[in-house]
Each structure stands twice: as structure tokens, then as C-alpha cells.
Amino acid sequence: MTRGLALARTLGNDQALIRLLALASTQRTLEQIELEELTLASIRSAAIADGIALLGRYLPRHDDQTPAWKALAELRERQGDVSGAVDAWRRVAADRGERISATTRAADLLWRSDKREAAWGTLTALQPVPDAKSLDYWRMRADQAWETKRVSEAASAYRLLWSGGSADLLVAERLVLLTMQTR
């Protein structure tokens, strides 16, 4: 098995790599690097459905493995399965270390799929609220609040970005406009 995986990697044979990882997944827990390889190989070889099927068989036996859920989320996202990807990102968010980034990713996916209220709900449901160091979260929250005309929420989020020193011209412009609106 180890030699076959090494050979598939060396030859750049994505189909063989996927098949060998499928076999390995029936015998043992896949390592994070292998799950990342599976994701990339599935994307490169247009075998996204194969990667999703493999993970569908794998995850019931290894339900607590965050990298496997991340792989599934990415593949479902690539496949265009918004609800499946969001569900998988929510599962990833159960891992404390991935909570903010996975929630932000799910909210972004919902937003880009024109499910704005669901995206906003996903962002604002995150508890405890991320600290000011979570710039991606706060930028997304500010921008979504701006786009959906939630004036006070947008102003708060843009103020946080401004005071944290991560403001660009757009943040400054919107903050000025919001401040003028709330007077």
C-alpha cells in the first residue's frame, strides 16, 4: 500500500492515488496530508464525485476527524452542492480551532449563493462572538450588514475594523457614510 501510494504520487496519477486512498481508508484512518491529497486529486482529475463517495463511506467510521469533514466540504463546494457544503462546514465548525474560519466559509458560500439571510444568520449565530483579531469574520460581517442595510451592525463592525488598524479606503468611506446616517 505504502509503495503504491508513493508510486502514484511520483507519477502524478490522480486516479490511482484516489483508488489507493480508498483502499487505505478501509484499513486505517487517513492522515491529514492524505485527505488533502484526495481533495486535490479529485479536483484535478474531475473525479469530485469519487472523492465525495469515498468520504461518504469513510466518515461514518471516522466521524470525529475534522480534516475529513473539511475535505468533504471543499469537494461538495466544488461540485456546486451548496447545502451539502454548508452542512459539512458546520460540522468542521464544531472543532474549536476551526470554528471561526469554517463558519465564515459557510456564510460566504451562502452569500455567494444568494442566500443572504441564511448567511447573515450563520455569521451572527457564532458564539462566543469572535474577538477583534478575527479580521476576516468582521470584514464579512461588516460587508454583509452594509449590503443588507443593517446600519448599526455595519457601523459597529466597520468601527471595530477601523480601531483594529485593518481599515482600507472602503472601510473608511463606509464608516464615514454610516456615521453620517446615524446622526
Side-chain angles (χ1 to χ4, degrees):
M1 176 70 61
T2 305
R3 293 167 93 187
L5 284 167
L7 184 59
R9 289 177 186 119
T10 301
L11 295 175
N13 188 331
D14 290 329
Q15 289 295 329
L17 185 60
I18 293 167
R19 279 186 247 124
L20 287 166
L21 288 171
L23 180 60
S25 74
T26 64
Q27 300 170 358
R28 61 177 173 78
T29 301
L30 295 178
E31 297 174 23
Q32 181 173 343
I33 189 80
E34 292 173 323
L35 290 162
E36 291 167 1
E37 286 177 324
L38 171 66
T39 303
L40 291 174
S42 297
I43 292 167
R44 282 191 307 256
S45 66
I48 292 173
D50 293 342
I52 291 171
L54 187 160
L55 291 166
R57 293 185 304 272
Y58 177 79
L59 278 164
R61 295 185 320 273
H62 303 281
D63 191 33
D64 62 340
Q65 196 179 14
T66 300
W69 283 106
K70 283 175 84 170
L72 181 62
E74 289 183 30
L75 290 175
R76 283 189 170 161
E77 192 171 330
R78 289 286 185 132
Q79 188 182 46
D81 177 5
V82 173
S83 63
V86 168
D87 288 345
W89 282 121
R90 286 184 175 142
R91 183 58 196 238
V92 173
D95 181 330
R96 291 181 62 79
E98 300 286 343
R99 184 177 66 92
I100 297 168
S101 62
T103 299
T104 303
R105 185 90 178 250
D108 180 54
L109 182 58
L110 288 165
W111 186 265
R112 287 185 287 120
S113 300
D114 216 19
K115 296 177 180 174
R116 292 180 169 214
E117 288 305 311
W120 179 255
T122 298
L123 279 180
T124 57
L126 190 57
Q127 293 297 323
V129 176
D131 62 21
K133 295 175 188 166
S134 301
L135 300 177
D136 291 338
Y137 169 84
W138 286 107
R139 180 58 186 250
M140 183 177 291
R141 187 167 172 155
D143 291 345
Q144 286 188 13
W146 172 268
E147 292 292 326
T148 56
K149 312 248 186 289
R150 290 177 167 94
V151 174
S152 62
E153 290 93 341
S156 294
Y158 283 128
R159 256 189 231 103
L160 191 139
L161 290 167
W162 180 265
S163 64
S166 64
D168 57 20
L169 186 58
L170 183 64
V171 169
E173 179 183 348
R174 287 183 176 177
L175 189 53
V176 167
L177 291 171
L178 289 166
T179 301
M180 290 171 44
Q181 283 181 14
T182 57
R183 286 187 178 179

